[in-house]
Amino acid sequence: MSPRTSPVSPPITIRRAVARDAKRLTRLVRGSGAYAGQYAAAVAGYRVGPVYIEAHRVFAAVGADGQGGRVLGFYSLVLAPPELDLLFVADEAQGRGIGRLLVAHMRSQARAAGLDRVRVVSHLPAEGFYHRAGAVRTGTALANPPAVPWDRPEFEFRVASE
């Protein structure tokens, strides 16, 4: 699939992430304000490595801001079993439609891969976003201490065929 540009200003391009993006994606995860306070431990040692990027469909939203294309957000689609494993938007870029753009791109990738649905285990502060982006609540993923000591909402994106 070719990169897509969003109507938000400045233009946002979605491109396939590459191994050299690993450090930038890791910083985006670890620096997320949604994981501050009680949630900080969940991402403190988290790493998006080059092997992960090459093994999954990882796409980055890049801003054409004169800074060499700064990564403003990214997602990771795992095909088997179908799951939106990661979706992050930089704190300072939230509210500009980048998350919705990434979800739309993820759905097109899922459709192209022949998937009819994609599971999401949401971080609690992101629950409202997934609901607004069209995901349907399907249940609750139970806590898994010590890594994740709280229950999390589980969603599903249904992927319509073309």
Side-chain angles (χ1 to χ4, degrees):
M1 171 170 231
S2 63
R4 294 171 55 176
T5 303
S6 86
V8 293
S9 181
I12 306 297
T13 300
I14 297 182
R15 64 161 172 81
R16 186 79 185 243
V18 294
R20 71 178 178 274
D21 290 322
K23 288 182 181 179
R24 292 195 286 181
L25 302 184
T26 296
R27 278 195 303 271
L28 208 150
V29 169
R30 290 183 185 175
S32 173
Y35 283 90
Q38 67 178 344
Y39 303 116
V43 296
Y46 197 86
R47 182 172 177 262
V48 181
V51 172
Y52 180 89
I53 291 169
E54 291 173 5
H56 302 293
R57 294 184 184 207
V58 181
F59 288 86
V62 181
D65 58 5
Q67 298 177 8
R70 190 168 143 252
V71 174
L72 301 172
F74 77 99
Y75 77 87
S76 171
L77 176 62
V78 175
L79 297 181
E83 182 172 2
L84 177 60
D85 188 37
L86 301 168
L87 181 116
F88 282 86
V89 174
D91 290 351
E92 68 277 6
Q94 291 181 11
R96 295 175 36 197
I98 296 168
R100 285 185 176 273
L101 185 65
L102 288 167
V103 166
H105 190 272
M106 179 276 301
R107 284 180 138 167
S108 70
Q109 286 291 308
R111 186 177 309 108
L115 304 176
D116 64 351
R117 57 194 69 230
V118 176
R119 176 180 181 252
V120 180
V121 176
S122 175
H123 178 51
L124 289 170
E127 182 174 7
F129 166 77
Y130 285 115
H131 178 71
R132 289 187 305 276
V136 176
R137 177 87 187 250
T138 58
T140 301
L142 299 177
N144 184 18
V148 184
W150 53 85
D151 292 347
R152 293 158 295 153
E154 194 169 317
F155 288 90
E156 182 176 271
F157 281 104
R158 297 195 176 114
V159 180
S161 59
E162 292 183 322

